[in-house]
Amino acid sequence: MIPFARPWIGEEEAAAARRAILSGWITQGPEVAAFEQEFSAAVGAPHACAVSNCTAALHMALVAVGVAPGDEVITVSHSFIATANAVRQAGALPVFVDVDAATLNIDPQLVDAAVSERTRAVLCVHQLGMPCDIGALARVARARGVALIEDAACAVGSQVRGSSGWEPIGRPHGDIACFSFHPRKLLSTGDGGMLTTRRADLDARFRLLRHHGMTVSDTARHAATTLVAETYAEPAYNYRMTDIQAAVGREQLKRLPAMVERRRELAARYAALLHEVEDVTAPCEPPWARTNWQSYAVRLAAGLDQRAVMQQMLDDGVATRRGVTTAHREPAYPPGTWRTTNAGLRRSELAQEATILLPLYHELTAAEQDRVVESLARACARSRTT
Ligand SMILES: Cc1ncc(COP(=O)(O)O)c(C=O)c1O
């Protein structure tokens, strides 16, 4: 069986987890602080704040830029459900705009048309690791006076072309970028998340919000030689990362450049092999983007049955996943819980129905890749004739 994904994690991470456990400090403490520093250096962000997962990061980011009940947040339906859920968690109405058919990312032209007097933020997604057109989005957000938050859950290690050349996702290019360290992502801490920003005021707010609004951190209280009494500045959350997770994350961060390089190698090889496969379009990388290829999404030609192709591949011993879901077609999002623009969401729906994600992980071999593509070609041919 060729699995769909497999984290690249080993003895170094196990030793780091052991070090954290035996240190006697196991929740948010010195390892978290060190991971934050190393992560901010890696992406070139002045501030990084670690949290329990990316959904928590998105929620905190929205709250921190002032999103409140009655507001609207422009985003995509075509994303993992957590993107839309975070908007509703903040009490706002998601306004879904369609994606670009080639990049599967938010269409910046539609964002401008979706702005209303209630819009407080744009929440764009670097879907499957592919950077969206962040330059165009930043121009719209600035012109309209709304915050720009990047759902970079999948995009650690991706780059975008900016004024200084290739720049890592997470500097950030909007106001805040939010990352996930779930095992389907390149860098994993089991579960985990990170917010990056250039603004010290936002970073200070994240640190309050993730720890019950407490004004003194546990490490500061621990180090104090005179008695310190904390206060609780505002009602907040427990979104802490543990030191065990952070210790693992620090090791994973060292592997990141090699992870990206290997995935780009594998993706280039997939693209070459897929040239020969009728009925399948390989994903494209737009000129402003250098993706980490967190996932490799191929598009099936019209008339092919996505489920049948995936089942046939599973029968061949190849695991795949269907394309990104669309929140507006899920039972959790009945009419009235979101709105869209006149342009509708047809490209998002088509992308969901026609794309499948192929196995891609660090240790995937060339022979396994050949098997994946052979199986895909066979499955498409069979779907065409039934
Ligand atoms: C685009 C996107 N946003 C948000 C999330 C949520 O991340 P987490 O599982 O860390 O909460 C994911 C996770 O898969 C995602 O793919």
Side-chain angles (χ1 to χ4, degrees):
M1 187 76 200
I2 300 177
F4 172 67
R6 186 185 278 160
W8 189 38
I9 192 162
E11 288 300 334
E12 291 84 350
E13 286 81 357
R18 179 182 159 82
R19 178 187 73 225
I21 289 166
L22 296 180
S23 75
W25 194 305
I26 54 176
T27 195
Q28 184 181 283
E31 292 283 353
V32 165
F35 184 35
E36 289 171 343
Q37 257 185 14
E38 290 159 12
F39 191 88
S40 67
V43 302
H47 306 280
C49 178
V51 286
S52 47
N53 55 67
C54 184
T55 313
L58 293 170
H59 178 216
M60 266 178 33
L62 291 164
V63 170
V65 299
V67 172
D71 289 340
E72 292 183 347
V73 174
I74 298 171
T75 189
V76 282
S77 169
H78 179 267
S79 185
F80 183 59
I81 198 86
T83 309
N85 283 351
V87 175
R88 285 179 68 190
Q89 220 179 327
L93 188 81
V95 177
F96 294 136
V97 299
D98 217 354
V99 293
D100 175 83
T103 64
L104 304 182
N105 271 329
I106 193 164
D107 183 338
Q109 289 188 350
L110 298 176
V111 172
D112 197 51
V115 174
S116 77
E117 70 281 359
R118 292 182 160 195
T119 307
R120 178 69 70 147
V122 173
L123 172 55
C124 64
V125 183
H126 301 298
Q127 195 53 259
L128 305 175
M130 184 68 75
C132 52
D133 189 354
I134 196 72
L137 290 165
R139 282 192 291 280
V140 175
R142 217 174 13 251
R144 296 307 204 117
V146 299
L148 177 59
I149 299 170
E150 298 168 64
D151 181 338
C154 307
V156 67
S158 295
Q159 295 179 320
V160 69
R161 201 192 288 279
S163 51
S164 64
W166 288 107
E167 300 168 351
I169 291 293
R171 262 168 62 123
H173 296 83
D175 295 284
I176 303 167
C178 302
F179 293 88
S180 171
F181 305 135
H182 177 272
R184 274 270 299 270
K185 315 302 185 246
L186 272 72
L187 185 167
S188 184
T189 57
D191 262 308
M194 190 76 80
L195 299 103
T196 61
T197 183
R198 271 174 272 118
R199 285 176 48 187
D201 61 324
L202 287 177
D203 185 62
R205 187 91 191 284
F206 302 153
R207 285 165 199 284
L208 272 185
L209 288 175
R210 73 174 171 181
H211 193 32
H212 304 289
M214 196 168 150
T215 53
V216 183
S217 75
D218 288 337
T219 36
R221 202 166 42 170
H222 182 70
T225 51
T226 53
L227 204 59
V228 182
E230 79 280 7
T231 55
Y232 295 87
E234 60 177 312
Y237 322 106
N238 174 1
Y239 284 165
R240 290 185 302 262
M241 174 181 276
T242 71
D243 258 25
I244 306 167
Q245 290 168 298
V248 170
R250 294 178 69 192
E251 291 305 319
Q252 286 272 284
L253 196 54
K254 292 181 196 160
R255 296 186 195 260
L256 185 61
M259 288 179 185
V260 175
E261 194 185 327
R262 175 72 183 142
R263 296 177 91 95
R264 291 186 62 80
E265 224 172 74
L266 290 167
R269 193 159 185 281
Y270 261 145
L273 292 171
L274 287 168
H275 256 304
E276 310 302 319
V277 184
E278 231 186 301
D279 285 336
V280 174
T281 309
C284 82
E285 195 173 43
W288 64 80
R290 250 192 214 159
T291 175
N292 63 5
W293 292 115
Q294 186 246 298
S295 288
Y296 196 83
V298 298
R299 185 180 284 261
L300 305 179
L304 293 187
D305 179 341
Q306 180 196 48
R307 278 186 74 88
V309 170
M310 290 174 67
Q311 183 61 55
Q312 177 66 45
M313 292 181 76
L314 192 60
D315 295 344
D316 283 348
V318 178
T320 58
R321 293 287 180 274
R322 65 183 179 145
V324 175
T325 51
T326 46
H328 73 281
R329 296 206 285 194
E330 293 298 325
Y333 283 77
T337 59
W338 54 279
R339 77 168 178 87
T340 188
T341 63
N342 291 338
L345 298 167
R346 193 63 198 130
R347 294 194 302 237
S348 300
E349 293 172 354
L350 283 174
Q352 179 185 14
E353 290 158 14
T355 53
I356 64 174
L357 313 185
L358 301 184
L360 189 67
Y361 48 87
H362 196 82
E363 284 147 339
L364 187 70
T365 65
E368 285 168 332
Q369 256 193 316
D370 292 347
R371 258 186 66 204
V372 170
V373 175
E374 281 157 24
S375 170
L376 175 64
R378 244 190 335 269
C380 289
R382 184 185 253 228
S383 170
R384 187 55 82 204
T385 55
T386 52

